[in-house]
Amino acid sequence: MVKIGAEFLGTVLVVFVLALASSLAYAADPNPLQDFCVAINDTKDAVFVNGKFCKDPELAVSDDFFTSGIQIPRSTLNSLGSKVTMFNIDTIPGLNTLGVSIARIDYAPGGVNPPHLHPRASELLVVEEGIVYAGFVTSNPDNRLFTKVLHKGDAFVFPMGLIHFQLNLGKTNAVAKASFGSQNAGVTTVANAVFGSNPRINLDVLAKAFQLDKEEVKHLEGLSWFDNAP
């Protein structure tokens, strides 16, 4: 009986270790099982992988792994004074299953990339022009704020899933590039999600959660919450 119990315990331990290893391995985008998987929308002669169909590898061309225009400034004429331009599998099909993507962020003077989070990726922000105040807040219960004033050539990391933001402190336009550890980092902008949901969140929930009266909640829900990172 002792021998059987020990074998059983050993089996349980092995299963636990394998399960833990599996959960760690898939904490981010899973590793690809082929050299590449160029994303296409056509279902003919294609294989469905991780949200996109894969082009037949024999039909892949160099342009599948290429894009241009990252250096082109984008308009910041909106209520936030900023614009996020993503370069992911929609613009570079060859990124599919590779677990990376990049974005260009333009800021007008005083422009803000408002508090938001990426549910599927950490982010590395590199400032190319201007002076940018950047920060993130840790999860409950500490809610610690980490901030830094970034100048040209400086970089700052935002851990996966944590609320973060940027603000242009300068009197001229600022530009940053952000790289993500996912082909589809996703984005949830806090104000848009809370006060611009469809349908609306119950007034009682928001009033109690934010310690506001219902009229104040209605006012916030009536505002136009610009989405600078669609």
Side-chain angles (χ1 to χ4, degrees):
M1 292 296 293
V2 174
K3 182 178 179 181
I4 293 175
E7 290 176 350
F8 177 77
L9 180 60
T11 301
V12 171
L13 180 60
V14 169
V15 171
F16 174 78
V17 171
L18 290 175
L20 179 60
S22 176
S23 66
L24 292 175
Y26 287 90
D29 288 358
N31 291 328
L33 300 178
Q34 66 286 318
D35 287 345
F36 52 79
C37 169
V38 175
I40 58 173
N41 294 319
D42 187 4
T43 60
K44 183 179 178 181
D45 299 325
V47 179
F48 192 73
V49 176
N50 200 24
K52 288 288 185 178
F53 292 98
C54 293
K55 178 188 287 188
D56 183 338
E58 297 297 325
L59 302 179
V61 296
S62 297
D63 281 347
D64 291 329
F65 307 93
F66 168 83
T67 192
S68 61
I70 297 179
Q71 80 285 0
I72 299 174
R74 267 63 177 185
S75 173
T76 56
L77 297 177
N78 55 65
S79 58
L80 298 174
S82 71
K83 178 61 180 175
V84 179
T85 306
M86 292 296 302
F87 294 87
N88 49 29
I89 56 175
D90 293 326
T91 50
I92 313 174
L95 281 178
N96 192 37
T97 76
L98 299 187
V100 294
S101 56
I102 192 171
R104 174 191 173 98
I105 311 173
D106 291 274
Y107 313 84
V112 63
N113 190 9
H116 64 282
L117 61 89
H118 303 291
R120 293 181 289 275
S122 297
E123 174 183 349
L124 175 63
L125 184 82
V126 179
V127 173
E128 294 191 345
E129 297 292 341
I131 305 172
V132 175
Y133 171 69
F136 68 88
V137 181
T138 64
S139 57
N140 298 349
D142 297 333
N143 299 134
R144 293 181 63 194
L145 174 64
F146 292 83
T147 63
K148 195 74 176 178
V149 176
L150 308 176
H151 299 265
K152 182 176 180 178
D154 290 342
F156 198 69
V157 173
F158 305 117
M160 179 189 298
L162 297 187
I163 293 175
H164 57 283
F165 56 85
Q166 302 106 43
L167 170 69
N168 181 4
L169 295 180
K171 296 182 179 181
T172 60
N173 292 340
V175 179
K177 299 289 175 55
S179 58
F180 303 93
S182 171
Q183 71 177 47
N184 183 17
V187 60
T188 301
T189 306
V190 177
N192 300 45
V194 173
F195 298 109
S197 67
N198 183 23
R200 299 297 190 189
I201 297 174
N202 183 283
L203 282 176
D204 291 326
V205 173
L206 296 183
K208 285 197 172 186
F210 291 93
Q211 301 181 42
L212 302 171
D213 63 46
K214 292 184 180 180
E215 291 305 314
E216 290 174 315
V217 173
K218 289 180 181 179
H219 170 71
L220 291 171
E221 288 183 331
L223 297 177
S224 177
W225 296 101
F226 179 73
D227 186 359
N228 71 339

